[in-house]
Amino acid sequence: MSDPIRIVNDATCTFCGCVCDDIVLTVDTEQHRITKSQNACVLGKAWFKEHGIEERPHALIGGREASTEEGVEEAAQILANARFPVIYGLSDTTCEAQRVAVSIADMIGGNVDTTTSVCHGPTGIAFQGVGESTATLGEIRNRADLVMFWGGNPAEAHPRLFSRYAVTPKGMFIPNGRKDRTVVLVDVRRTQSTPVADIFVQVKPGADFELLWALRALVRGRRVDGAAVERRTGIAMAVLEDLVVRMKSCRFGVLFFGMGLTMTRGRHFNAGALLSLATDLNEFTHFVAAPVRGHGNVTGADNVMSWQTGFPFGVNLSRGYPRFNPGEFTAVDLLSRGEADAAMFIATDPASNFPKPAIEHMHRIPVISLDPKPTPTGQLSHVVFTTATYGINVAGTAYRMDNVPLPLRPAFDSP
Ligand code: SF4
């Protein structure tokens, strides 16, 4: 009898944008379950534990069990007959699936959007405006001696960003790990990440842009009205001047930034200000900026959308060529305004997090959903497909948050 226990080395966790590829999985091939996930953080362990094989219909049409072929035919009819359909989600599936989804949108002349539009969409807009100074997480681990986090809480959202890449690990030019790094956190409130920082800068809510612009001015040696900056941002000039000295004199600095910057007042202006600050600092030292991405392959979604259409999200293909217009062709807006007449959701659950008018419209139109798990979106969908989980049952490619593509090593097959 063959041993039902299988070990998968160097498996990849696709739960968050860190896409850790050093996981050792212990798989019970008889029970179709992962029993142990060595090296994974608490979030990764839960991800691997929850994705066993459940007895579920492969497809549902109108709530009734159907074959996959019947589901495909019904879904194809919906998409082919729609006049202004939207395809949305894509950040929790492989690049191979993403490119097929974009092709379908192209074929039917529809809209295609990803969850980037509700997280780092403003960053995508800012990239186009001011560019980006980049590095891989490997470079950051080996070289960064000043690590800044702006508007995010990695301790809870990306636990291994600290331990694997940016704060504690020893690197080629950071031989003493944490001791060789200065860590700065900028946020509107204290979080579980705050104790990790050497310097915590508590900016007033909604004043990130002003704070970034004041830092830009100080880096460039311009005169700044310290009292006015403090009134607006809550940060004293002495703190900013000390920060600027550290930023200009470090050997390799990084500005990680999260949705606290991109989804608050200012949005793409905030992201653009931070990217410009990193660029300014390159006149004095080496400095990079890095958005901290949430979903496991949201960065892949940006890449696939960009290489297929030229734009990272919110694309319309009705005229036979791509048009990019966030606010017009983004899923939340198409649904909230009642414009989309059909929707296909791939590995996403907008019925749980979209605004009420968008969800109400989803009840009025034919919806197709593809997801490994039952979801509220599946409940309101006309056609539902149960899919295998990427990285656990499906091989393919996922992009880490630093745009490095990684191969997935699935643990066991799915029906
Ligand atoms: S940090 Fe993210 S990718 Fe890494 S193990 Fe945790 S959840 Fe998975």
Side-chain angles (χ1 to χ4, degrees):
M1 233 172 78
S2 62
D3 187 356
I5 302 301
R6 179 173 166 237
I7 304 294
V8 182
N9 288 307
D10 299 325
T12 308
C13 175
T14 50
F15 182 73
C16 87
C18 287
V19 194
C20 298
D21 57 348
D22 61 344
I23 312 294
V24 182
L25 298 177
T26 305
V27 185
D28 184 332
T29 54
E30 274 177 2
Q31 298 292 319
H32 301 294
R33 296 228 159 256
I34 293 164
T35 54
K36 199 171 162 200
S37 47
Q38 201 181 320
N39 294 339
C41 71
V42 61
L43 301 177
K45 282 190 194 314
W47 164 257
F48 285 116
K49 195 171 162 202
E50 279 172 11
H51 284 90
I53 300 293
E54 294 162 15
E55 282 298 318
R56 285 182 54 207
H58 293 191
L60 295 170
I61 301 175
R64 282 198 325 258
E65 192 167 339
S67 67
T68 303
E69 292 72 20
E70 289 165 337
V72 167
E73 179 59 30
E74 186 79 2
Q77 291 293 340
I78 291 170
L79 293 173
N81 292 324
R83 297 185 62 210
F84 206 55
V86 58
I87 296 175
Y88 173 77
L90 298 173
S91 53
D92 273 321
T93 188
T94 61
C95 291
E96 290 76 1
Q98 290 162 349
R99 65 191 296 171
V100 174
V102 178
S103 301
I104 293 172
D106 194 8
M107 204 187 298
I108 61 177
N111 303 279
V112 57
D113 186 31
T114 76
T115 61
T116 284
S117 65
V118 292
C119 63
H120 270 281
T123 306
I125 298 170
F127 285 159
Q128 295 177 357
V130 300
E132 182 191 17
S133 310
T134 67
T136 65
L137 291 177
E139 283 176 275
I140 291 166
R141 174 193 171 108
N142 283 305
R143 294 175 185 276
D145 57 342
L146 177 64
V147 183
M148 298 180 66
F149 295 93
W150 199 303
N153 179 11
E156 285 185 281
H158 303 79
R160 294 188 78 209
L161 187 59
F162 286 165
S163 58
R164 191 163 187 234
Y165 297 111
V167 175
T168 48
K170 292 179 179 167
M172 204 179 296
F173 302 101
I174 308 289
N176 302 308
R178 178 69 184 88
K179 287 199 198 102
D180 288 342
R181 293 190 181 92
T182 302
V183 178
V184 180
L185 197 86
V186 184
D187 209 343
V188 295
R189 67 179 71 84
R190 299 185 78 82
T191 64
Q192 291 211 3
S193 297
T194 314
V196 173
D198 300 299
I199 300 167
F200 176 56
V201 179
Q202 188 163 0
V203 58
K204 281 186 184 171
D208 298 272
F209 179 85
E210 290 83 346
L211 186 59
L212 285 161
W213 221 252
L215 285 170
R216 286 195 73 197
L218 291 170
V219 166
R220 288 161 164 246
R222 302 281 162 81
R223 204 168 54 80
V224 171
D225 181 345
V229 170
E230 184 169 355
R231 251 194 327 274
R232 181 70 193 91
T233 67
I235 311 299
M237 267 305 270
V239 174
L240 294 186
E241 280 166 353
D242 171 66
L243 203 51
V244 166
V245 169
R246 291 174 189 273
M247 290 168 99
K248 286 167 85 166
S249 61
C250 72
R251 280 182 293 127
F252 185 120
V254 53
L255 270 159
F256 284 107
F257 61 108
M259 284 168 59
L261 195 71
T262 63
M263 281 289 143
T264 52
R265 178 181 167 270
R267 295 185 178 226
H268 57 284
F269 287 98
N270 295 343
L274 183 137
L275 294 169
S276 300
L277 175 61
T279 302
D280 293 344
L281 284 158
N282 278 284
E283 294 205 11
F284 307 94
T285 183
H286 190 82
F287 228 98
V288 299
V292 179
R293 305 306 306 274
H295 292 278
N297 198 21
V298 67
T299 307
D302 290 3
N303 276 276
V304 172
M305 287 283 287
S306 299
W307 84 52
Q308 306 238 131
T309 72
F311 305 107
F313 64 97
V315 174
N316 170 269
L317 294 145
S318 305
R319 291 186 182 168
Y321 56 86
R323 288 184 296 158
F324 172 58
N325 200 5
E328 185 178 9
F329 303 132
T330 30
V332 167
D333 307 281
L334 289 166
L335 292 164
S336 298
R337 287 194 301 260
E339 292 172 356
D341 61 349
M344 178 158 75
F345 298 119
I346 300 164
T348 187
D349 184 20
S352 294
N353 52 43
F354 269 20
K356 197 162 164 242
I359 297 170
E360 283 170 356
H361 189 62
M362 282 156 59
H363 282 279
R364 291 193 286 267
I365 60 173
V367 171
I368 303 155
S369 88
L370 289 77
D371 208 291
K373 294 269 175 194
T375 62
T377 301
Q379 278 169 16
L380 61 77
S381 297
H382 179 62
V383 184
V384 181
F385 293 101
T386 305
T387 55
T389 307
Y390 80 135
I392 292 183
N393 317 119
V394 184
T397 311
Y399 276 67
R400 204 167 60 187
M401 64 171 80
D402 55 351
N403 293 297
V404 172
L406 296 165
L408 305 179
R409 289 189 184 84
F412 55 90
D413 287 339
S414 158

